[in-house]
Amino acid sequence: MKTFAQIREYAIAQYQRIASKRDEVNKNYEKLLEMNIYTPEYLQKIKDEGEAEVAKVCASVAADLEAVVKLTVSEKKTALNKMLTDAPSAEQMNLLTSLQVQGNTITADEVKSIALQLSGNYRALHTLQVIAEKAGQKLHLPVQYDYQALTDALNWAEKYLYNVVSDVKNTTDYRQMGLDSKVFLDVWGGADHGAHDDLKYKNNAVDILDGNEQTTPTVEPRKLTDQERIIVESLFSDGVPNGDAMTQIMNSPELRTLVSLHPKYKALLN
């Protein structure tokens, strides 16, 4: 399986086959035209034959690129499905279970350290996220562990790449292509002169799907949403619990977590 950065490198190299054939055909036609001895009918015949040669190379390049895209996307989808179905190991489950028993005493450093130990298993890491959140800790994972972000990026990349394939297949002159295809294929040769990369493709596909921007998990105290804050504050009047509010709080782990995150009322649980 190629990386998505390698797909672009491959596409640019393959596109040079089209550019070279285009230059060859144009030069041959211009040479005959300058001789000023051939009839318009003959010149048109030469031009049509040249266009057919370019179209043949375009079809070959499009087929090669389509095969590479299809294989890479298929293998990436398989990897994502495996990511969802790989269960945590027995050792990882024991670690998560022991952590869950700690409840609200879990520290941010513990969460981060354990996240690094669980690195590589999507299910284990997301179980840790749930446990950490209940303890008032917000675990942020790199995008490489975000199944939805990876899926969205893969769908985007697949559509983008097949649009490029379609342009290569159906046009023999780069001026007929969409702007995205022109930039992706580097039709102006800017990469040889330090030109900007295809930033749209880089930001939406390469940086996410190739994992070039790996970062370590980070942890920060979880904050109440506006709705959660309203729920907590509805339990109190002038700083005093309403009716049996404390009984409700003590009998509900969810409410206890919310109260423990409220800057004014968390002291009641200490």
Side-chain angles (χ1 to χ4, degrees):
M1 177 175 67
K2 289 183 180 293
T3 65
F4 284 83
Q6 288 171 337
I7 287 179
R8 182 168 187 250
E9 292 171 2
Y10 177 80
I12 291 173
Q14 288 298 301
Y15 181 76
Q16 292 310 305
R17 291 169 52 197
I18 299 175
S20 296
K21 175 56 70 174
R22 165 59 65 190
D23 287 344
E24 176 190 324
V25 165
N26 286 348
K27 287 177 181 178
N28 183 47
Y29 179 76
E30 291 297 329
K31 182 179 179 180
L32 294 177
L33 191 63
E34 289 173 2
M35 294 174 70
N36 202 28
I37 60 175
Y38 297 104
T39 64
E41 291 79 13
Y42 179 76
L43 290 173
Q44 186 62 50
K45 176 176 177 295
I46 295 300
K47 187 173 185 178
D48 291 344
E49 288 175 350
E51 289 298 321
E53 289 181 28
V54 175
K56 185 176 180 180
V57 176
C58 286
S60 174
V61 169
D64 290 346
L65 181 56
E66 184 173 19
V68 168
V69 171
K70 184 176 181 179
L71 178 62
T72 301
V73 169
S74 175
E75 291 185 352
K76 192 68 175 179
K77 285 181 178 179
T78 298
L80 283 177
N81 289 334
K82 186 175 185 296
M83 176 180 173
L84 274 186
T85 57
D86 272 357
S89 67
E91 183 179 354
Q92 289 172 331
M93 284 305 301
N94 288 337
L95 181 59
L96 289 167
T97 300
S98 64
L99 191 65
Q100 197 165 20
V101 171
Q102 286 185 239
N104 291 340
T105 65
I106 303 169
T107 67
D109 286 342
E110 284 180 302
V111 173
K112 184 173 181 179
S113 175
I114 292 171
L116 292 172
Q117 294 178 56
L118 299 177
S119 177
N121 189 284
Y122 172 86
R123 287 298 182 194
L125 282 168
H126 282 268
T127 299
L128 176 61
Q129 269 191 319
V130 173
I131 294 172
E133 187 164 349
K134 289 180 178 178
Q137 307 289 346
K138 183 71 174 179
L139 173 62
H140 298 280
L141 297 172
V143 70
Q144 287 75 24
Y145 298 113
D146 188 330
Y147 175 82
Q148 191 57 55
L150 292 170
T151 300
D152 291 345
L154 184 59
N155 290 337
W156 183 93
E158 183 177 20
K159 181 178 179 181
Y160 190 87
L161 290 168
Y162 276 117
N163 283 339
V164 174
V165 169
S166 177
D167 268 351
V168 172
K169 184 185 298 184
N170 298 311
T171 61
T172 58
D173 189 324
Y174 77 85
R175 285 170 292 190
Q176 301 166 346
M177 291 182 175
L179 180 59
D180 285 342
S181 295
K182 292 175 187 177
V183 175
F184 181 84
L185 295 167
D186 190 33
V187 299
W188 297 288
D192 295 333
H193 304 94
H196 288 299
D197 201 348
D198 182 348
L199 295 181
K200 181 185 289 189
Y201 182 72
K202 179 179 183 296
N203 293 336
N204 291 285
V206 175
D207 287 350
I208 298 175
L209 297 169
D210 287 351
N212 293 337
E213 300 295 328
Q214 280 277 11
T215 57
T216 56
T218 58
V219 185
E220 66 180 26
R222 176 174 173 262
K223 296 179 181 178
L224 291 173
T225 66
D226 290 342
Q227 184 176 8
E228 288 172 338
R229 183 181 291 273
I230 290 172
I231 291 173
V232 173
E233 292 177 352
S234 70
L235 299 171
F236 299 86
S237 294
D238 298 325
V240 178
N242 291 323
D244 63 349
M246 284 306 298
T247 300
Q248 294 179 48
I249 293 168
M250 299 312 296
N251 290 335
S252 169
E254 291 78 12
L255 276 180
R256 284 204 306 276
T257 297
L258 296 184
V259 173
S260 71
L261 296 173
H262 195 286
K264 182 176 182 181
Y265 302 121
K266 63 182 180 181
L268 293 173
L269 301 180
N270 294 335

PDB file of all heavy atoms in Angstrom, residues 78-113:
ATOM      1  N   THR A  78      -9.780  -1.395   4.990  1.00  0.00           N
ATOM      2  CA  THR A  78      -9.614  -2.648   5.742  1.00  0.00           C
ATOM      3  C   THR A  78      -8.915  -2.384   7.071  1.00  0.00           C
ATOM      4  O   THR A  78      -9.300  -2.923   8.115  1.00  0.00           O
ATOM      5  CB  THR A  78      -8.798  -3.669   4.915  1.00  0.00           C
ATOM      6  OG1 THR A  78      -9.507  -3.969   3.714  1.00  0.00           O
ATOM      7  CG2 THR A  78      -8.570  -4.947   5.699  1.00  0.00           C
ATOM      8  N   ALA A  79      -7.877  -1.529   7.033  1.00  0.00           N
ATOM      9  CA  ALA A  79      -7.143  -1.191   8.255  1.00  0.00           C
ATOM     10  C   ALA A  79      -8.039  -0.464   9.253  1.00  0.00           C
ATOM     11  O   ALA A  79      -7.960  -0.707  10.463  1.00  0.00           O
ATOM     12  CB  ALA A  79      -5.928  -0.333   7.913  1.00  0.00           C
ATOM     13  N   LEU A  80      -8.922   0.403   8.749  1.00  0.00           N
ATOM     14  CA  LEU A  80      -9.839   1.127   9.641  1.00  0.00           C
ATOM     15  C   LEU A  80     -10.848   0.170  10.279  1.00  0.00           C
ATOM     16  O   LEU A  80     -11.177   0.300  11.459  1.00  0.00           O
ATOM     17  CB  LEU A  80     -10.563   2.227   8.875  1.00  0.00           C
ATOM     18  CG  LEU A  80      -9.756   3.498   8.583  1.00  0.00           C
ATOM     19  CD1 LEU A  80     -10.581   4.473   7.762  1.00  0.00           C
ATOM     20  CD2 LEU A  80      -9.302   4.164   9.873  1.00  0.00           C
ATOM     21  N   ASN A  81     -11.346  -0.772   9.485  1.00  0.00           N
ATOM     22  CA  ASN A  81     -12.283  -1.756  10.035  1.00  0.00           C
ATOM     23  C   ASN A  81     -11.608  -2.609  11.104  1.00  0.00           C
ATOM     24  O   ASN A  81     -12.203  -2.928  12.137  1.00  0.00           O
ATOM     25  CB  ASN A  81     -12.826  -2.645   8.914  1.00  0.00           C
ATOM     26  CG  ASN A  81     -13.787  -1.899   8.009  1.00  0.00           C
ATOM     27  OD1 ASN A  81     -14.409  -0.937   8.427  1.00  0.00           O
ATOM     28  ND2 ASN A  81     -13.901  -2.322   6.769  1.00  0.00           N
ATOM     29  N   LYS A  82     -10.365  -2.963  10.862  1.00  0.00           N
ATOM     30  CA  LYS A  82      -9.604  -3.753  11.841  1.00  0.00           C
ATOM     31  C   LYS A  82      -9.383  -2.940  13.112  1.00  0.00           C
ATOM     32  O   LYS A  82      -9.426  -3.477  14.227  1.00  0.00           O
ATOM     33  CB  LYS A  82      -8.262  -4.171  11.247  1.00  0.00           C
ATOM     34  CG  LYS A  82      -7.451  -5.123  12.124  1.00  0.00           C
ATOM     35  CD  LYS A  82      -6.188  -5.575  11.394  1.00  0.00           C
ATOM     36  CE  LYS A  82      -5.441  -6.621  12.214  1.00  0.00           C
ATOM     37  NZ  LYS A  82      -4.932  -6.098  13.499  1.00  0.00           N
ATOM     38  N   MET A  83      -9.166  -1.654  12.921  1.00  0.00           N
ATOM     39  CA  MET A  83      -8.974  -0.751  14.060  1.00  0.00           C
ATOM     40  C   MET A  83     -10.184  -0.795  14.993  1.00  0.00           C
ATOM     41  O   MET A  83     -10.045  -0.771  16.223  1.00  0.00           O
ATOM     42  CB  MET A  83      -8.758   0.660  13.511  1.00  0.00           C
ATOM     43  CG  MET A  83      -8.637   1.770  14.512  1.00  0.00           C
ATOM     44  SD  MET A  83      -8.373   3.349  13.621  1.00  0.00           S
ATOM     45  CE  MET A  83      -8.469   4.504  14.976  1.00  0.00           C
ATOM     46  N   LEU A  84     -11.374  -0.889  14.417  1.00  0.00           N
ATOM     47  CA  LEU A  84     -12.596  -0.928  15.214  1.00  0.00           C
ATOM     48  C   LEU A  84     -12.796  -2.259  15.917  1.00  0.00           C
ATOM     49  O   LEU A  84     -13.362  -2.326  16.999  1.00  0.00           O
ATOM     50  CB  LEU A  84     -13.807  -0.658  14.317  1.00  0.00           C
ATOM     51  CG  LEU A  84     -14.215   0.787  14.051  1.00  0.00           C
ATOM     52  CD1 LEU A  84     -15.515   0.811  13.267  1.00  0.00           C
ATOM     53  CD2 LEU A  84     -14.383   1.577  15.339  1.00  0.00           C
ATOM     54  N   THR A  85     -12.356  -3.333  15.277  1.00  0.00           N
ATOM     55  CA  THR A  85     -12.681  -4.671  15.787  1.00  0.00           C
ATOM     56  C   THR A  85     -11.599  -5.291  16.666  1.00  0.00           C
ATOM     57  O   THR A  85     -11.852  -6.300  17.324  1.00  0.00           O
ATOM     58  CB  THR A  85     -12.964  -5.628  14.611  1.00  0.00           C
ATOM     59  OG1 THR A  85     -11.833  -5.662  13.725  1.00  0.00           O
ATOM     60  CG2 THR A  85     -14.181  -5.165  13.820  1.00  0.00           C
ATOM     61  N   ASP A  86     -10.401  -4.706  16.690  1.00  0.00           N
ATOM     62  CA  ASP A  86      -9.334  -5.256  17.542  1.00  0.00           C
ATOM     63  C   ASP A  86      -9.654  -4.986  19.012  1.00  0.00           C
ATOM     64  O   ASP A  86      -9.651  -3.833  19.452  1.00  0.00           O
ATOM     65  CB  ASP A  86      -7.985  -4.631  17.189  1.00  0.00           C
ATOM     66  CG  ASP A  86      -7.274  -5.383  16.080  1.00  0.00           C
ATOM     67  OD1 ASP A  86      -7.811  -6.411  15.638  1.00  0.00           O
ATOM     68  OD2 ASP A  86      -6.189  -4.943  15.657  1.00  0.00           O
ATOM     69  N   ALA A  87      -9.930  -6.043  19.755  1.00  0.00           N
ATOM     70  CA  ALA A  87     -10.270  -5.893  21.178  1.00  0.00           C
ATOM     71  C   ALA A  87      -9.006  -5.654  22.000  1.00  0.00           C
ATOM     72  O   ALA A  87      -7.908  -6.064  21.617  1.00  0.00           O
ATOM     73  CB  ALA A  87     -10.971  -7.150  21.668  1.00  0.00           C
ATOM     74  N   PRO A  88      -9.141  -4.950  23.136  1.00  0.00           N
ATOM     75  CA  PRO A  88      -7.987  -4.780  24.032  1.00  0.00           C
ATOM     76  C   PRO A  88      -7.486  -6.141  24.512  1.00  0.00           C
ATOM     77  O   PRO A  88      -8.264  -7.096  24.645  1.00  0.00           O
ATOM     78  CB  PRO A  88      -8.568  -3.959  25.200  1.00  0.00           C
ATOM     79  CG  PRO A  88      -9.783  -3.300  24.642  1.00  0.00           C
ATOM     80  CD  PRO A  88     -10.338  -4.260  23.639  1.00  0.00           C
ATOM     81  N   SER A  89      -6.190  -6.244  24.767  1.00  0.00           N
ATOM     82  CA  SER A  89      -5.625  -7.483  25.295  1.00  0.00           C
ATOM     83  C   SER A  89      -6.066  -7.665  26.742  1.00  0.00           C
ATOM     84  O   SER A  89      -6.578  -6.735  27.385  1.00  0.00           O
ATOM     85  CB  SER A  89      -4.097  -7.431  25.221  1.00  0.00           C
ATOM     86  OG  SER A  89      -3.603  -6.442  26.115  1.00  0.00           O
ATOM     87  N   ALA A  90      -5.850  -8.870  27.272  1.00  0.00           N
ATOM     88  CA  ALA A  90      -6.214  -9.149  28.667  1.00  0.00           C
ATOM     89  C   ALA A  90      -5.451  -8.219  29.611  1.00  0.00           C
ATOM     90  O   ALA A  90      -6.002  -7.704  30.590  1.00  0.00           O
ATOM     91  CB  ALA A  90      -5.906 -10.606  29.000  1.00  0.00           C
ATOM     92  N   GLU A  91      -4.195  -7.974  29.292  1.00  0.00           N
ATOM     93  CA  GLU A  91      -3.377  -7.085  30.126  1.00  0.00           C
ATOM     94  C   GLU A  91      -3.920  -5.665  30.095  1.00  0.00           C
ATOM     95  O   GLU A  91      -3.982  -4.988  31.136  1.00  0.00           O
ATOM     96  CB  GLU A  91      -1.933  -7.106  29.633  1.00  0.00           C
ATOM     97  CG  GLU A  91      -0.981  -6.264  30.467  1.00  0.00           C
ATOM     98  CD  GLU A  91       0.454  -6.328  29.953  1.00  0.00           C
ATOM     99  OE1 GLU A  91       0.724  -7.113  29.023  1.00  0.00           O
ATOM    100  OE2 GLU A  91       1.291  -5.583  30.484  1.00  0.00           O
ATOM    101  N   GLN A  92      -4.327  -5.212  28.922  1.00  0.00           N
ATOM    102  CA  GLN A  92      -4.887  -3.867  28.806  1.00  0.00           C
ATOM    103  C   GLN A  92      -6.205  -3.753  29.557  1.00  0.00           C
ATOM    104  O   GLN A  92      -6.467  -2.750  30.224  1.00  0.00           O
ATOM    105  CB  GLN A  92      -5.073  -3.508  27.330  1.00  0.00           C
ATOM    106  CG  GLN A  92      -3.773  -3.273  26.582  1.00  0.00           C
ATOM    107  CD  GLN A  92      -3.975  -3.109  25.088  1.00  0.00           C
ATOM    108  OE1 GLN A  92      -4.926  -3.658  24.521  1.00  0.00           O
ATOM    109  NE2 GLN A  92      -3.085  -2.385  24.437  1.00  0.00           N
ATOM    110  N   MET A  93      -7.026  -4.788  29.467  1.00  0.00           N
ATOM    111  CA  MET A  93      -8.306  -4.778  30.175  1.00  0.00           C
ATOM    112  C   MET A  93      -8.102  -4.753  31.688  1.00  0.00           C
ATOM    113  O   MET A  93      -8.825  -4.063  32.406  1.00  0.00           O
ATOM    114  CB  MET A  93      -9.143  -5.991  29.777  1.00  0.00           C
ATOM    115  CG  MET A  93      -9.791  -5.869  28.407  1.00  0.00           C
ATOM    116  SD  MET A  93     -10.807  -4.374  28.224  1.00  0.00           S
ATOM    117  CE  MET A  93     -12.003  -4.588  29.546  1.00  0.00           C
ATOM    118  N   ASN A  94      -7.120  -5.501  32.178  1.00  0.00           N
ATOM    119  CA  ASN A  94      -6.823  -5.501  33.615  1.00  0.00           C
ATOM    120  C   ASN A  94      -6.401  -4.103  34.072  1.00  0.00           C
ATOM    121  O   ASN A  94      -6.793  -3.634  35.142  1.00  0.00           O
ATOM    122  CB  ASN A  94      -5.708  -6.504  33.933  1.00  0.00           C
ATOM    123  CG  ASN A  94      -6.191  -7.943  33.822  1.00  0.00           C
ATOM    124  OD1 ASN A  94      -7.387  -8.208  33.923  1.00  0.00           O
ATOM    125  ND2 ASN A  94      -5.278  -8.856  33.602  1.00  0.00           N
ATOM    126  N   LEU A  95      -5.596  -3.443  33.235  1.00  0.00           N
ATOM    127  CA  LEU A  95      -5.137  -2.092  33.560  1.00  0.00           C
ATOM    128  C   LEU A  95      -6.308  -1.115  33.597  1.00  0.00           C
ATOM    129  O   LEU A  95      -6.432  -0.301  34.521  1.00  0.00           O
ATOM    130  CB  LEU A  95      -4.110  -1.647  32.518  1.00  0.00           C
ATOM    131  CG  LEU A  95      -3.493  -0.255  32.689  1.00  0.00           C
ATOM    132  CD1 LEU A  95      -2.787  -0.147  34.034  1.00  0.00           C
ATOM    133  CD2 LEU A  95      -2.510   0.023  31.553  1.00  0.00           C
ATOM    134  N   LEU A  96      -7.195  -1.225  32.620  1.00  0.00           N
ATOM    135  CA  LEU A  96      -8.355  -0.336  32.569  1.00  0.00           C
ATOM    136  C   LEU A  96      -9.301  -0.590  33.740  1.00  0.00           C
ATOM    137  O   LEU A  96      -9.861   0.345  34.315  1.00  0.00           O
ATOM    138  CB  LEU A  96      -9.098  -0.532  31.240  1.00  0.00           C
ATOM    139  CG  LEU A  96      -8.371   0.010  29.996  1.00  0.00           C
ATOM    140  CD1 LEU A  96      -9.028  -0.514  28.727  1.00  0.00           C
ATOM    141  CD2 LEU A  96      -8.375   1.534  30.006  1.00  0.00           C
ATOM    142  N   THR A  97      -9.461  -1.848  34.096  1.00  0.00           N
ATOM    143  CA  THR A  97     -10.338  -2.199  35.217  1.00  0.00           C
ATOM    144  C   THR A  97      -9.804  -1.633  36.530  1.00  0.00           C
ATOM    145  O   THR A  97     -10.557  -1.062  37.339  1.00  0.00           O
ATOM    146  CB  THR A  97     -10.480  -3.727  35.333  1.00  0.00           C
ATOM    147  OG1 THR A  97     -11.039  -4.244  34.126  1.00  0.00           O
ATOM    148  CG2 THR A  97     -11.388  -4.091  36.505  1.00  0.00           C
ATOM    149  N   SER A  98      -8.499  -1.780  36.737  1.00  0.00           N
ATOM    150  CA  SER A  98      -7.902  -1.266  37.974  1.00  0.00           C
ATOM    151  C   SER A  98      -7.990   0.258  38.018  1.00  0.00           C
ATOM    152  O   SER A  98      -8.178   0.858  39.081  1.00  0.00           O
ATOM    153  CB  SER A  98      -6.444  -1.710  38.099  1.00  0.00           C
ATOM    154  OG  SER A  98      -5.659  -1.155  37.061  1.00  0.00           O
ATOM    155  N   LEU A  99      -7.891   0.878  36.857  1.00  0.00           N
ATOM    156  CA  LEU A  99      -7.993   2.333  36.789  1.00  0.00           C
ATOM    157  C   LEU A  99      -9.415   2.781  37.110  1.00  0.00           C
ATOM    158  O   LEU A  99      -9.632   3.788  37.792  1.00  0.00           O
ATOM    159  CB  LEU A  99      -7.588   2.812  35.392  1.00  0.00           C
ATOM    160  CG  LEU A  99      -7.391   4.314  35.199  1.00  0.00           C
ATOM    161  CD1 LEU A  99      -6.217   4.794  36.040  1.00  0.00           C
ATOM    162  CD2 LEU A  99      -7.157   4.644  33.740  1.00  0.00           C
ATOM    163  N   GLN A 100     -10.377   2.023  36.619  1.00  0.00           N
ATOM    164  CA  GLN A 100     -11.781   2.371  36.842  1.00  0.00           C
ATOM    165  C   GLN A 100     -12.120   2.339  38.330  1.00  0.00           C
ATOM    166  O   GLN A 100     -12.934   3.138  38.819  1.00  0.00           O
ATOM    167  CB  GLN A 100     -12.669   1.393  36.063  1.00  0.00           C
ATOM    168  CG  GLN A 100     -14.092   1.866  35.878  1.00  0.00           C
ATOM    169  CD  GLN A 100     -14.805   1.048  34.822  1.00  0.00           C
ATOM    170  OE1 GLN A 100     -14.399  -0.061  34.489  1.00  0.00           O
ATOM    171  NE2 GLN A 100     -15.890   1.590  34.285  1.00  0.00           N
ATOM    172  N   VAL A 101     -11.497   1.431  39.055  1.00  0.00           N
ATOM    173  CA  VAL A 101     -11.746   1.304  40.489  1.00  0.00           C
ATOM    174  C   VAL A 101     -11.297   2.566  41.236  1.00  0.00           C
ATOM    175  O   VAL A 101     -11.872   2.930  42.268  1.00  0.00           O
ATOM    176  CB  VAL A 101     -11.017   0.057  41.045  1.00  0.00           C
ATOM    177  CG1 VAL A 101     -11.074   0.032  42.565  1.00  0.00           C
ATOM    178  CG2 VAL A 101     -11.619  -1.209  40.467  1.00  0.00           C
ATOM    179  N   GLN A 102     -10.281   3.250  40.700  1.00  0.00           N
ATOM    180  CA  GLN A 102      -9.777   4.458  41.366  1.00  0.00           C
ATOM    181  C   GLN A 102     -10.793   5.587  41.379  1.00  0.00           C
ATOM    182  O   GLN A 102     -10.729   6.477  42.233  1.00  0.00           O
ATOM    183  CB  GLN A 102      -8.508   4.951  40.658  1.00  0.00           C
ATOM    184  CG  GLN A 102      -7.285   4.111  40.917  1.00  0.00           C
ATOM    185  CD  GLN A 102      -6.049   4.739  40.288  1.00  0.00           C
ATOM    186  OE1 GLN A 102      -5.396   4.127  39.460  1.00  0.00           O
ATOM    187  NE2 GLN A 102      -5.732   5.963  40.682  1.00  0.00           N
ATOM    188  N   GLY A 103     -11.703   5.574  40.411  1.00  0.00           N
ATOM    189  CA  GLY A 103     -12.720   6.616  40.363  1.00  0.00           C
ATOM    190  C   GLY A 103     -12.141   8.003  40.176  1.00  0.00           C
ATOM    191  O   GLY A 103     -11.274   8.220  39.331  1.00  0.00           O
ATOM    192  N   ASN A 104     -12.596   8.943  41.024  1.00  0.00           N
ATOM    193  CA  ASN A 104     -12.209  10.346  40.864  1.00  0.00           C
ATOM    194  C   ASN A 104     -10.790  10.660  41.316  1.00  0.00           C
ATOM    195  O   ASN A 104     -10.338  11.804  41.209  1.00  0.00           O
ATOM    196  CB  ASN A 104     -13.176  11.258  41.631  1.00  0.00           C
ATOM    197  CG  ASN A 104     -14.556  11.268  40.996  1.00  0.00           C
ATOM    198  OD1 ASN A 104     -14.711  10.914  39.829  1.00  0.00           O
ATOM    199  ND2 ASN A 104     -15.546  11.680  41.760  1.00  0.00           N
ATOM    200  N   THR A 105     -10.065   9.659  41.808  1.00  0.00           N
ATOM    201  CA  THR A 105      -8.695   9.924  42.282  1.00  0.00           C
ATOM    202  C   THR A 105      -7.671   9.840  41.145  1.00  0.00           C
ATOM    203  O   THR A 105      -6.489  10.075  41.366  1.00  0.00           O
ATOM    204  CB  THR A 105      -8.300   8.922  43.385  1.00  0.00           C
ATOM    205  OG1 THR A 105      -8.248   7.599  42.835  1.00  0.00           O
ATOM    206  CG2 THR A 105      -9.286   8.978  44.544  1.00  0.00           C
ATOM    207  N   ILE A 106      -8.089   9.512  39.948  1.00  0.00           N
ATOM    208  CA  ILE A 106      -7.171   9.404  38.814  1.00  0.00           C
ATOM    209  C   ILE A 106      -6.598  10.783  38.488  1.00  0.00           C
ATOM    210  O   ILE A 106      -7.331  11.765  38.399  1.00  0.00           O
ATOM    211  CB  ILE A 106      -7.897   8.868  37.561  1.00  0.00           C
ATOM    212  CG1 ILE A 106      -8.545   7.515  37.863  1.00  0.00           C
ATOM    213  CG2 ILE A 106      -6.940   8.733  36.388  1.00  0.00           C
ATOM    214  CD1 ILE A 106      -9.496   7.055  36.779  1.00  0.00           C
ATOM    215  N   THR A 107      -5.281  10.849  38.331  1.00  0.00           N
ATOM    216  CA  THR A 107      -4.639  12.121  38.010  1.00  0.00           C
ATOM    217  C   THR A 107      -4.404  12.243  36.502  1.00  0.00           C
ATOM    218  O   THR A 107      -4.405  11.243  35.774  1.00  0.00           O
ATOM    219  CB  THR A 107      -3.282  12.252  38.717  1.00  0.00           C
ATOM    220  OG1 THR A 107      -2.368  11.279  38.176  1.00  0.00           O
ATOM    221  CG2 THR A 107      -3.431  12.040  40.220  1.00  0.00           C
ATOM    222  N   ALA A 108      -4.164  13.473  36.063  1.00  0.00           N
ATOM    223  CA  ALA A 108      -3.892  13.715  34.644  1.00  0.00           C
ATOM    224  C   ALA A 108      -2.634  12.984  34.185  1.00  0.00           C
ATOM    225  O   ALA A 108      -2.575  12.441  33.074  1.00  0.00           O
ATOM    226  CB  ALA A 108      -3.760  15.216  34.390  1.00  0.00           C
ATOM    227  N   ASP A 109      -1.614  12.962  35.042  1.00  0.00           N
ATOM    228  CA  ASP A 109      -0.359  12.276  34.684  1.00  0.00           C
ATOM    229  C   ASP A 109      -0.586  10.774  34.504  1.00  0.00           C
ATOM    230  O   ASP A 109       0.004  10.145  33.614  1.00  0.00           O
ATOM    231  CB  ASP A 109       0.703  12.514  35.765  1.00  0.00           C
ATOM    232  CG  ASP A 109       1.270  13.923  35.703  1.00  0.00           C
ATOM    233  OD1 ASP A 109       1.111  14.575  34.649  1.00  0.00           O
ATOM    234  OD2 ASP A 109       1.869  14.365  36.704  1.00  0.00           O
ATOM    235  N   GLU A 110      -1.434  10.197  35.370  1.00  0.00           N
ATOM    236  CA  GLU A 110      -1.738   8.767  35.240  1.00  0.00           C
ATOM    237  C   GLU A 110      -2.439   8.482  33.917  1.00  0.00           C
ATOM    238  O   GLU A 110      -2.102   7.526  33.212  1.00  0.00           O
ATOM    239  CB  GLU A 110      -2.628   8.313  36.406  1.00  0.00           C
ATOM    240  CG  GLU A 110      -1.920   8.137  37.714  1.00  0.00           C
ATOM    241  CD  GLU A 110      -2.879   7.698  38.809  1.00  0.00           C
ATOM    242  OE1 GLU A 110      -3.860   8.421  39.063  1.00  0.00           O
ATOM    243  OE2 GLU A 110      -2.651   6.630  39.397  1.00  0.00           O
ATOM    244  N   VAL A 111      -3.402   9.314  33.589  1.00  0.00           N
ATOM    245  CA  VAL A 111      -4.151   9.123  32.342  1.00  0.00           C
ATOM    246  C   VAL A 111      -3.219   9.188  31.135  1.00  0.00           C
ATOM    247  O   VAL A 111      -3.267   8.351  30.240  1.00  0.00           O
ATOM    248  CB  VAL A 111      -5.275  10.171  32.198  1.00  0.00           C
ATOM    249  CG1 VAL A 111      -5.932  10.063  30.831  1.00  0.00           C
ATOM    250  CG2 VAL A 111      -6.321   9.985  33.287  1.00  0.00           C
ATOM    251  N   LYS A 112      -2.353  10.187  31.121  1.00  0.00           N
ATOM    252  CA  LYS A 112      -1.442  10.348  29.990  1.00  0.00           C
ATOM    253  C   LYS A 112      -0.471   9.180  29.892  1.00  0.00           C
ATOM    254  O   LYS A 112      -0.218   8.649  28.799  1.00  0.00           O
ATOM    255  CB  LYS A 112      -0.659  11.661  30.124  1.00  0.00           C
ATOM    256  CG  LYS A 112       0.235  11.945  28.926  1.00  0.00           C
ATOM    257  CD  LYS A 112       0.867  13.325  29.022  1.00  0.00           C
ATOM    258  CE  LYS A 112       1.738  13.608  27.801  1.00  0.00           C
ATOM    259  NZ  LYS A 112       2.351  14.953  27.868  1.00  0.00           N
ATOM    260  N   SER A 113       0.062   8.752  31.031  1.00  0.00           N
ATOM    261  CA  SER A 113       1.010   7.640  31.043  1.00  0.00           C
ATOM    262  C   SER A 113       0.355   6.354  30.543  1.00  0.00           C
ATOM    263  O   SER A 113       0.933   5.610  29.737  1.00  0.00           O
ATOM    264  CB  SER A 113       1.554   7.432  32.464  1.00  0.00           C
ATOM    265  OG  SER A 113       2.386   6.290  32.510  1.00  0.00           O
TER     266      SER A 113
END
